[in-house]
Amino acid sequence: MKRRRTVFVILAAALTLGLAGCDDSVRRRVQVVPPVTSSTTARLDVRSLPLNTFGVRAAPPIIPLARPDGVSRLIAWGEAAYQAGLLEFKAGHPSHAQRDFDAAIKGLAASGFDIQNDPRMAPLYNRILESAHAYELAAATETDSFVEPPSVPAPIDEIAAMEVAPDPALRALATHALARVPHDLPIVVNDTVLSYLNFFRSTRGRAIVESGLRRGGRYQDMIRRVFREEGLPQDLIYLAQAESGFQPQALSKAGARGIWQFMAWRGREYGLQKSWWVDDRQDPEKSTRAAARHLRDLYGQFGDWYLAMAAYDCGPGNVSKGIERTGYADFWELYKRNVLPKETKNYVPIILGFMLAAKNAQQFGIEIQPESPLRADLVRPGSPIDLRLVAESLDVDLDTLRTLNPSLLRMVTPADEEFELRLPEGMGARFDKEIAEAIPRDKWVSWRRYTVGDGETLTQLARKFKVTSQAIAQANSIEPDAELEAGTKVIIPAVGARPQTAFGNVVRYRVRKTDTLQSLADEFDVSVAELKKWNGMRGDRVGQGVRLKIYPGGHAAPPAPKESKTPVAQKASSHTLAAPEKPVSTATPVVHKVKPGETLWSIAQTYQTSVEAVRRANRFLSTRQLQAGDQLMILPPR
């Protein structure tokens, strides 16, 4: 009996503690649920769960073996919300994923716990923030004009992870080969170098060497010229072979980018800038110039090329510390005494192995068929332009343009008057004729060119590109009933009923720990004042996890067209997209019934207002596309 009474007291105390924990959670306005066991999550589709008060799918309650504390329950809830967001994104619903991530972050932040200083909560919170940042950009830039091209793995990561034994028979062969070829860097042949040379003779290693040297033909002449101008040994070109295999989009596990694998902060030291539009680390010539100057500076500091290469990999501070600890300013002594990072110990031998393999390719069974050097004309558009318009106007393959301009992170060039666009050699003059003189600058992002197919009519093109046939006719200075000849090119205005420039599209950006207003302004080519204006900010500080509204390029919305005393119809001859022949000027709100074939752009032009103004006055357009028969409220221009 006494034993039963004791058990009853224990259960009552546990229940009291449980209720106290629930009260505490209520005061913090956080709805938490018990953690989900692994066996449950394996069978559960999180998307089928109901939404909680934060708009997030909560995990179903499960009776736990022991009552978890408030932090554990909050972590379980946050993890469930995070997994729901991942499932939504993988299912192709980035906006839904964004909602789940956002609600999870708000819920954790509102919990009253010190999230950043709690060792259990901080990892989850930071993981959600990072995922939200990555996926929100994807959700906000769903149009292919804004999708960043994919990166490729940096070969150095794979090579450095290899463990290959040296082949004793290679020593005599390598020593003999070394004596036969010129080199302007010292080459040591030891067991470590021979082990990597042995790897480069294997099937996988040979493929890495051959593909890199083949691709290197594009840039070899340029790199050797820059090295001569900067006074560097020519054999340092094999550093790029080892780092990236001459791939401008190469990205290492540590976040280094480009042919020369610059980290962002180191790149900035040597003039390589990164914005939302362009990453100079992926510009072959700019990054080569920066690498040459960095290597020259490192050689000036250490007086030894092996130490300079090691410092290029791990930073001069680590090499200096190694020298101070051992008293030896010699790479192989530092290697032997194990005072350098593991990847740096292998870095120099990998480059030396590359040099031996490439300089004696035939002897080591390596076939080299270098690609032709890239030749290009440079033009300065002076205004943002979609690469697809360039490709369609000049009959150039889009992939060729991307290859010539690997530093471009978007399909659209930046609003930088100094930006130089590379075109295939001989195309510079055609750019002026086919684009600069034919299409208004403010239409270079939203307009396209199309080659007419057999039997295609203006009406068919209008339907295909979701514009009016009248707009196509006016943009090309032809009659609305004109017959189109197959093979001719026509200008297509405002593709997909999106006449505003790419810079009018908003990006919802999640602030990271290292972000400042100035760094964000630099990245998105806007001003700090614009960032503050768009987000109603007064101070100069912005907190981690805050979502900012940003219009890359600095234009929140296209301006409403100004009235002109010149008849609009007279402008059509200069290929300017004209308004309808009888524009309607209204001083009071009117109702417009949408006719078949009309678009928001054509309606806005008719009433001398902007697409954005029409959208604001008709909120239903935020949830669906315009349809024939819709009743639109048209407000007078401000």
Side-chain angles (χ1 to χ4, degrees), residues 12 14 125 184 191 243 303 376 401 419 429 468 557 573 599 618:
Y125 186 69
D184 54 8
D191 284 349
E243 288 272 17
L401 285 179
F419 176 78
T468 65
S573 60
T599 66
N618 300 272

Side-chain angles (χ1 to χ4, degrees), residues 63-122:
I63 299 175
L65 296 177
R67 188 186 68 80
D69 60 20
V71 172
S72 297
R73 292 165 67 85
L74 188 60
I75 289 175
W77 172 83
E79 184 67 40
Y82 173 65
Q83 294 299 329
L86 293 180
L87 283 174
E88 291 286 12
F89 192 84
K90 291 176 181 178
H93 307 300
S95 59
H96 294 174
Q98 181 177 330
R99 178 201 63 198
D100 288 339
F101 291 142
D102 195 45
I105 291 168
K106 286 181 179 178
L108 292 174
S111 67
F113 292 107
D114 187 358
I115 297 175
Q116 289 292 4
N117 292 320
D118 189 302
R120 292 176 294 172
M121 297 185 68

Side-chain angles (χ1 to χ4, degrees), residues 329-620:
D330 178 82
F331 173 78
W332 296 110
E333 284 294 335
L334 301 182
Y335 182 99
K336 221 169 21 173
R337 294 167 189 271
N338 203 32
V339 294
L340 294 174
K342 181 180 178 182
E343 63 273 12
T344 303
K345 287 179 60 177
N346 296 328
Y347 185 75
V348 173
I350 286 172
I351 295 171
L352 297 179
F354 260 124
M355 290 171 61
L356 282 169
K359 286 177 175 288
N360 301 274
Q362 187 173 5
Q363 190 168 358
F364 292 118
I366 296 171
E367 297 182 5
I368 302 178
Q369 297 178 332
E371 297 180 11
S372 301
L374 295 178
R375 309 293 184 193
D377 285 353
L378 300 180
V379 298
R380 290 184 178 178
S383 297
I385 187 168
D386 194 307
L387 292 186
R388 289 167 299 185
L389 175 63
V390 178
E392 293 157 356
S393 299
L394 304 183
D395 297 313
V396 176
D397 184 70
L398 185 59
D399 287 340
T400 299
L401 285 179
R402 299 304 294 262
T403 299
L404 288 172
N405 299 275
S407 66
L408 275 176
L409 301 180
R410 316 291 162 191
M411 197 73 78
V412 178
T413 64
D416 179 2
E417 293 183 356
E418 300 301 315
F419 176 78
E420 293 183 327
L421 180 66
R422 291 181 174 89
L423 303 175
E425 195 171 29
M427 292 287 183
R430 285 191 60 192
F431 179 89
D432 290 336
K433 181 180 179 181
E434 299 289 338
I435 299 176
E437 298 174 6
I439 300 176
R441 284 179 176 269
D442 62 341
K443 310 300 182 185
W444 284 359
V445 172
S446 56
W447 285 20
R448 298 281 292 277
R449 265 237 169 79
Y450 178 75
T451 302
V452 178
D454 290 334
E456 285 190 307
T457 65
L458 276 177
T459 301
Q460 290 173 327
L461 295 186
R463 189 179 302 115
K464 181 174 185 176
F465 291 100
K466 300 179 182 178
V467 296
T468 65
S469 55
Q470 182 185 29
I472 299 177
Q474 290 173 338
N476 293 275
S477 298
I478 59 178
E479 295 298 324
D481 57 353
E483 292 186 3
L484 301 178
E485 183 179 345
T488 60
K489 289 182 182 178
V490 294
I491 298 170
I492 305 296
V495 174
R498 294 175 66 94
Q500 64 266 40
T501 68
F503 300 87
N505 290 330
V506 66
V507 170
R508 302 283 181 177
Y509 182 89
R510 175 82 63 185
V511 176
R512 291 178 288 185
K513 190 174 183 179
T514 57
D515 287 332
T516 65
L517 285 180
Q518 188 59 60
S519 69
L520 292 176
D522 293 340
E523 180 173 354
F524 288 94
D525 290 339
V526 300
S527 68
V528 171
E530 286 174 320
L531 284 177
K532 294 167 72 172
K533 177 183 176 182
W534 296 330
N535 295 280
M537 300 172 61
R538 295 183 179 179
D540 294 324
R541 300 184 64 181
V542 59
Q544 180 186 8
V546 173
R547 286 181 64 205
L548 295 181
K549 185 194 306 181
I550 303 177
Y551 296 90
H555 298 276
K562 297 180 180 180
E563 291 189 16
S564 173
K565 295 181 180 179
T566 305
V568 181
Q570 294 180 11
K571 299 180 183 179
S573 60
S574 63
H575 295 281
T576 301
L577 183 57
E581 292 182 7
K582 295 181 180 180
V584 178
S585 179
T586 176
T588 58
V590 298
V591 176
H592 176 87
K593 185 175 181 180
V594 179
K595 304 178 183 66
E598 283 189 315
T599 66
L600 283 178
W601 175 83
S602 65
I603 295 169
Q605 291 288 300
T606 299
Y607 292 96
Q608 296 184 335
T609 185
S610 66
V611 171
E612 202 60 37
V614 177
R615 286 188 179 277
R616 283 197 302 267
N618 300 272
R619 294 297 183 184
F620 70 89

Side-chain angles (χ1 to χ4, degrees), residues 196-412:
Y196 286 107
L197 179 59
N198 194 28
F199 168 67
F200 295 139
R201 296 171 67 214
S202 68
T203 301
R204 176 58 186 154
R206 187 167 62 250
I208 293 175
V209 176
E210 290 177 348
S211 63
L213 293 177
R214 181 179 66 252
R215 197 180 301 107
R218 302 176 182 177
Y219 310 109
Q220 180 173 299
D221 291 351
M222 177 272 294
I223 294 173
R224 295 194 181 282
R225 169 178 56 80
V226 171
F227 280 7
R228 284 194 300 271
E229 293 170 356
E230 298 294 338
L232 261 64
Q234 293 289 303
D235 283 347
L236 285 174
I237 193 173
Y238 296 108
L239 189 150
Q241 163 76 25
E243 288 272 17
S244 66
F246 297 100
Q247 298 177 104
Q249 281 90 11
L251 176 65
S252 75
K253 294 178 180 177
R257 274 191 181 274
I259 287 178
W260 296 97
Q261 289 292 280
F262 272 99
M263 296 296 289
W265 59 272
R266 181 70 75 189
R268 284 193 295 271
E269 288 183 3
Y270 287 89
L272 301 180
Q273 302 301 318
K274 180 187 182 302
S275 71
W276 198 66
W277 307 98
V278 173
D279 192 335
D280 286 342
R281 294 177 296 169
Q282 296 183 182
D283 184 296
E285 182 152 357
K286 286 183 180 180
S287 63
T288 296
R289 184 75 62 180
R293 292 175 178 174
H294 185 34
L295 284 165
R296 188 181 61 194
D297 290 346
L298 292 172
Y299 181 76
Q301 180 176 350
F302 296 104
D304 178 273
W305 282 116
Y306 285 5
L307 292 176
M309 288 190 284
Y312 187 93
D313 181 65
C314 68
N318 284 321
V319 175
S320 295
K321 288 176 185 176
I323 294 173
E324 290 172 6
R325 286 176 58 187
T326 64
Y328 287 96
D330 178 82
F331 173 78
W332 296 110
E333 284 294 335
L334 301 182
Y335 182 99
K336 221 169 21 173
R337 294 167 189 271
N338 203 32
V339 294
L340 294 174
K342 181 180 178 182
E343 63 273 12
T344 303
K345 287 179 60 177
N346 296 328
Y347 185 75
V348 173
I350 286 172
I351 295 171
L352 297 179
F354 260 124
M355 290 171 61
L356 282 169
K359 286 177 175 288
N360 301 274
Q362 187 173 5
Q363 190 168 358
F364 292 118
I366 296 171
E367 297 182 5
I368 302 178
Q369 297 178 332
E371 297 180 11
S372 301
L374 295 178
R375 309 293 184 193
D377 285 353
L378 300 180
V379 298
R380 290 184 178 178
S383 297
I385 187 168
D386 194 307
L387 292 186
R388 289 167 299 185
L389 175 63
V390 178
E392 293 157 356
S393 299
L394 304 183
D395 297 313
V396 176
D397 184 70
L398 185 59
D399 287 340
T400 299
L401 285 179
R402 299 304 294 262
T403 299
L404 288 172
N405 299 275
S407 66
L408 275 176
L409 301 180
R410 316 291 162 191
M411 197 73 78
V412 178

